[in-house]
């Protein structure tokens, strides 16, 4: 005993000793009322200072795992390992076991099946990975983030570390309302809820709009964001996908589907700017046409404000919620996760005041509130004027990588049709007959991975000739080398 103790990392050694002895007690290696080695003996056995042992023993006593007898030493408390003994069964039978997979409901089983991260590719060290569309952490301006944290903590640190409000941190709500107003949104009659990123906001909205008496019906672009597909299905919605064109959703097909509908669609989910996965920006003309159709058929629109800040050419296009004017039919879900810092889990839902009031109650019932510390850091960072400076730097760097990636695709994958007007990825469509999952297997053997495009399509078997290339976290050298390998394998396998 005591021979397997090893100091790891930079945690205080006294805490490591305390946790080590605690594990021995819980496992039953040290029995109730058994005397622990003296502080001097333990110091020699564990090869740490006697003061470290004294601190560890004090911590064990504070936690109720030991008791001290003055002049005699420390002993294992009687109840410390009782739970472990109980679990073995009073009659010595095996520990109590539940077959949890058999207990899982349909929601849990579906969540596992739809979990793209669990079904994803495991990249070996040194692999060139085009799977991520997260921002490049090398661009993060840590000095300004640190200053924002210190500034806000100095102003109201004690408040920030306590419970917050379900609706969100008021200064940030007010800032984001002005931010959306500057995008051309008429905020009269509207309100805003802070969420833990886009996904929580989307899930809360779906739970509020899901019909009670039947399965829901949703309409969206095809392909579309995999997280949206997953959450729509988990919430019980049947999804109708409308194909994309070079300037956005096919409006003629959309109108035809709406005219033929036998049951009303409960909602539409649309990503008009830097669409995931295609990167397409919906044209202003199509935005107006889509909004007219949604208004005519009275279908609420959930707008995903994905990557709006990362357009590399042309003028800014107003979001759908801006084209709605004083109308309340659009629910806008935004976040800065792709352009700023995904680690700060902050997003927002902007919509009709009555809707936000209900969403606030759902939020309170689920998570009480989004981290106030995260919200306050983001608010102070924005207030300090760092956002515009950072976005300018990020846009310049990502534009350069975007153009490099595009040029490499045109050189090494001339058979593929490219889409992507901005953002952090490109979408490639190969001639019919090319199976990008087979291509992925071949490329994986050569040390390159990407995201097959079929997982973004509504129906199984669609989009098998497509793939998404995320370039934001890939070095220039690896962009060039990786796309060259993809091109070589595509020609070898598919004779294109």
């Amino acid at each position: 005993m005591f021979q397997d103790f090893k100091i790891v990392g930079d945690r205080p050694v006294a805490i490591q000793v305390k946790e080590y002895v605690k594990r021995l007690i819980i496992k039953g290696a040290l029995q109730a009322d058994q005397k622990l080695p003296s502080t001097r003996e333990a110091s020699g056995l564990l090869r740490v200072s006697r003061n470290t042992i004294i601190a560890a023993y004090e911590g064990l006593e504070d936690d109720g795992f030991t008791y001290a007898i003055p002049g005699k030493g420390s002993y294992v408390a009687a109840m410390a390992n009782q739970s472990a003994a109980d679990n073995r069964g009073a009659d010595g039978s095996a520990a109590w076991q539940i077959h949890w997979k058999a207990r899982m409901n349909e929601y849990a089983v579906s969540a596992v099946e739809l979990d793209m991260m669990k079904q994803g590719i495991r990249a070996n060290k040194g692999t060139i990975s085009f799977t991520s569309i997260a921002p490049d952490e090398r661009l993060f301006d840590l000095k300004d983030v640190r200053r924002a944290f210190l500034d806000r903590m100095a102003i109201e640190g004690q408040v920030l570390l306590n419970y917050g409000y379900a609706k969100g941190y008021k200064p940030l709500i007010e800032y984001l309302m002005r931010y959306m107003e500057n995008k051309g949104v008429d905020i009269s009659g509207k309100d805003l809820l802070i969420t833990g990123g886009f996904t929580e906001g989307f899930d809360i909205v779906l739970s509020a709009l899901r019909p009670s008496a039947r399965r829901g019906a949703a309409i969206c672009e095809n392909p579309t964001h995999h997280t949206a597909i997953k959450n729509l299905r988990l919430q019980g919605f049947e999804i109708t996908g409308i194909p994309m064109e070079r300037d956005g959703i096919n409006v003629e097909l959309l109108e035809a589907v709406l005219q033929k509908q036998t049951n009303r669609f409960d909602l539409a989910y649309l990503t008009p700017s830097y669409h995931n996965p295609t990167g397409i920006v919906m044209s202003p003309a199509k935005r107006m046409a889509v909004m007219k159709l949604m208004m005519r058929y009275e279908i609420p629109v959930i707008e995903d404000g994905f990557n709006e800040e990362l357009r590399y050419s042309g003028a800014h296009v107003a979001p759908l919620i801006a084209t709605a004017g004083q109308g309340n039919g659009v629910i806008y879900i935004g976040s800065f996760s792709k352009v700023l810092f995904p680690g700060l889990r902050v997003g927002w839902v902007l919509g009709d005041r009555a809707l936000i009031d209900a969403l606030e109650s759902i939020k309170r019932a689920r998570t009480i509130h989004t981290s106030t510390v995260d919200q306050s850091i983001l608010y102070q960072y924005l207030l300090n004027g760092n956002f515009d400076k950072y976005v300018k730097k990020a846009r310049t760097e990502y534009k350069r990588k975007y153009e490099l990636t595009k040029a490499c695709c045109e050189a090494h994958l001339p058979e593929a049709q490219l889409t992507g007007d901005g953002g952090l990825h490109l979408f490639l469509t190969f001639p019919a007959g090319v199976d990008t999952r087979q291509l992925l297997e071949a490329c994986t053997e050569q040390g390159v991975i990407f995201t097959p495009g079929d997982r973004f399509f509504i129906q199984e078997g669609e989009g098998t000739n497509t793939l998404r290339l995320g370039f934001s976290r890939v070095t220039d050298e690896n962009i060039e080398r990786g796309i060259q390998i993809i091109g070589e394998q595509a020609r070898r396998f598919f004779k294109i």
Side-chain angles (χ1 to χ4, degrees):
M1 197 181 299
F2 300 111
Q3 301 302 310
D4 59 344
F5 176 73
K6 292 180 181 179
I7 298 174
V8 294
D10 56 359
R11 297 187 70 212
V13 178
I15 293 178
Q16 295 189 49
V17 172
K18 182 185 81 168
E19 292 178 348
Y20 172 74
V21 177
K22 187 186 293 186
R23 285 195 295 271
L24 293 178
I25 295 171
I26 292 172
K27 291 176 181 177
L30 293 171
Q31 297 295 310
D33 300 318
Q34 180 177 344
K35 186 178 185 295
L36 295 180
S38 69
T39 55
R40 191 181 301 279
E41 290 173 329
S43 173
L45 289 168
L46 300 179
R47 298 179 183 177
V48 298
S49 72
R50 190 179 177 190
N51 285 338
T52 296
I53 299 297
I54 291 171
Y57 279 13
E58 288 176 349
L60 287 165
E61 186 174 359
D62 289 342
D63 290 351
F65 282 85
T66 64
Y67 62 92
I69 298 178
K72 291 188 176 182
S74 294
Y75 294 79
V76 178
M79 297 301 295
N81 61 354
Q82 190 64 47
S83 60
D86 288 346
N87 284 338
R88 286 193 293 272
D91 58 355
S93 60
W96 181 38
Q97 298 289 330
I98 289 178
H99 182 32
W100 285 111
K101 282 193 174 181
R103 298 286 187 109
M104 295 296 104
N105 60 23
E106 183 180 352
Y107 183 94
V109 172
S110 297
V112 174
E113 292 174 349
L114 293 167
D115 191 341
M116 191 167 76
M117 295 301 293
K118 286 187 176 179
Q119 312 302 331
I121 311 143
R122 297 287 179 243
N124 297 320
K125 189 174 182 180
T127 297
I128 300 173
S129 175
F130 291 103
T131 59
S132 175
I133 58 171
D136 186 350
E137 58 266 24
R138 289 170 295 186
L139 295 176
F140 294 167
D141 46 352
L142 297 182
K143 182 179 177 182
D144 290 333
V145 175
R146 189 180 301 114
R147 170 52 55 195
F149 172 75
L150 294 174
D151 286 351
R152 209 68 219 161
M153 291 300 288
I155 295 169
E156 52 178 351
Q158 291 176 313
V159 173
L160 300 178
L161 294 175
N162 210 326
Y163 282 109
Y165 296 99
K167 189 177 176 184
Y169 182 56
K170 187 176 180 180
L172 181 60
I173 291 174
E174 292 173 347
Y175 185 99
L176 290 173
M177 289 292 277
R178 292 195 302 273
Y179 176 77
M180 295 304 298
E181 193 172 24
N182 289 337
K183 286 179 176 285
V185 178
D186 186 329
I187 62 173
S188 58
K190 296 181 177 66
D191 207 347
L192 190 143
L193 173 76
I194 302 292
T195 63
F198 163 82
T199 305
E200 188 198 23
F202 187 60
D203 187 54
I204 288 175
V205 171
L206 292 184
S207 65
L209 300 183
R210 181 186 63 237
S212 300
R214 58 174 175 79
R215 289 181 62 83
I219 197 163
C220 65
E221 297 126 330
N222 193 30
T224 193
H225 189 5
H226 176 79
T227 295
I229 296 175
K230 174 175 66 177
N231 281 280
L232 282 164
R233 286 180 172 157
L234 286 174
Q235 291 278 10
F237 283 86
E238 294 180 352
I239 311 171
T240 299
I242 306 298
M244 297 283 285
E245 296 181 310
R246 296 290 298 187
D247 60 344
I249 194 169
N250 187 316
V251 176
E252 288 73 23
L253 284 178
L254 172 62
E255 185 170 13
V257 167
L258 294 177
Q259 287 175 344
K260 291 179 182 177
Q261 66 175 339
T262 53
N263 296 312
R264 176 178 295 178
F265 284 100
D266 299 293
L267 59 89
Y269 166 73
L270 301 171
T271 309
S273 296
Y274 323 109
H275 175 266
N276 185 14
T278 66
I280 289 171
V281 175
M282 190 186 297
S283 67
K286 279 198 171 180
R287 291 178 189 233
M288 294 303 298
V290 167
M291 289 303 296
K292 286 180 180 178
L293 286 173
M294 296 298 107
M295 182 172 63
R296 183 193 308 168
Y297 290 95
E298 297 184 337
I299 301 173
V301 175
I302 301 175
E303 178 177 12
D304 185 348
F306 185 79
N307 270 354
E308 278 194 348
E309 306 299 335
L310 291 181
R311 189 170 195 186
Y312 306 135
S313 61
H316 172 75
V317 184
L320 296 177
I321 193 170
T323 66
Q326 293 185 353
N328 67 353
V330 180
I331 307 162
Y332 182 98
I333 307 179
S335 90
F336 294 127
S337 293
K338 293 297 182 287
V339 65
L340 269 179
F341 320 120
L344 292 179
R345 300 306 302 148
V346 178
W348 66 92
V349 181
L350 178 67
D352 180 77
R353 192 170 291 143
L355 172 69
I356 297 299
D357 184 65
L359 299 185
E360 178 188 358
S361 295
I362 296 174
K363 167 74 177 178
R364 183 177 288 109
R366 290 184 174 184
T367 60
I368 302 178
H369 65 87
T370 300
S371 165
T372 309
V373 174
D374 283 13
Q375 293 182 72
S376 67
I377 294 172
L378 176 59
Y379 167 69
Q380 191 66 46
Y381 181 86
L382 298 169
L383 187 67
N384 287 350
N386 297 313
F387 181 63
D388 290 341
K389 180 178 64 173
Y390 175 82
V391 168
K392 183 178 180 180
K393 177 179 70 172
R395 189 185 288 128
T396 299
E397 174 62 8
Y398 292 140
K399 179 182 180 182
R400 188 187 64 76
K401 280 191 171 183
Y402 164 83
E403 291 174 344
L404 173 63
T405 305
K406 187 169 180 286
C408 289
C409 287
E410 290 169 346
H412 299 293
L413 296 163
E415 310 84 0
Q417 178 185 6
L418 302 178
T419 59
D421 300 315
L424 305 174
H425 64 277
L426 284 170
F427 195 67
L428 281 68
T429 302
F430 289 88
V434 174
D435 187 332
T436 55
R437 286 196 177 267
Q438 291 181 12
L439 178 60
L440 175 61
E441 289 181 14
C443 290
T444 301
E445 293 178 1
Q446 302 299 315
V448 178
I449 59 176
F450 52 80
T451 305
D454 61 332
R455 62 181 51 178
F456 301 103
F457 284 79
I458 308 302
Q459 301 299 329
E460 188 174 348
E462 293 182 307
T464 54
N465 62 328
T466 65
L467 64 86
R468 189 187 70 181
L469 283 180
F471 55 79
S472 55
R473 303 174 70 185
V474 189
T475 65
D476 291 4
E477 179 183 358
N478 283 341
I479 288 174
E480 295 173 359
R481 177 62 184 151
I483 294 174
Q484 180 182 353
I485 289 172
I486 295 172
E488 291 169 354
Q489 296 305 309
R491 284 185 290 276
R492 184 166 75 87
F493 264 74
F494 305 109
K495 309 294 189 236
I496 57 177

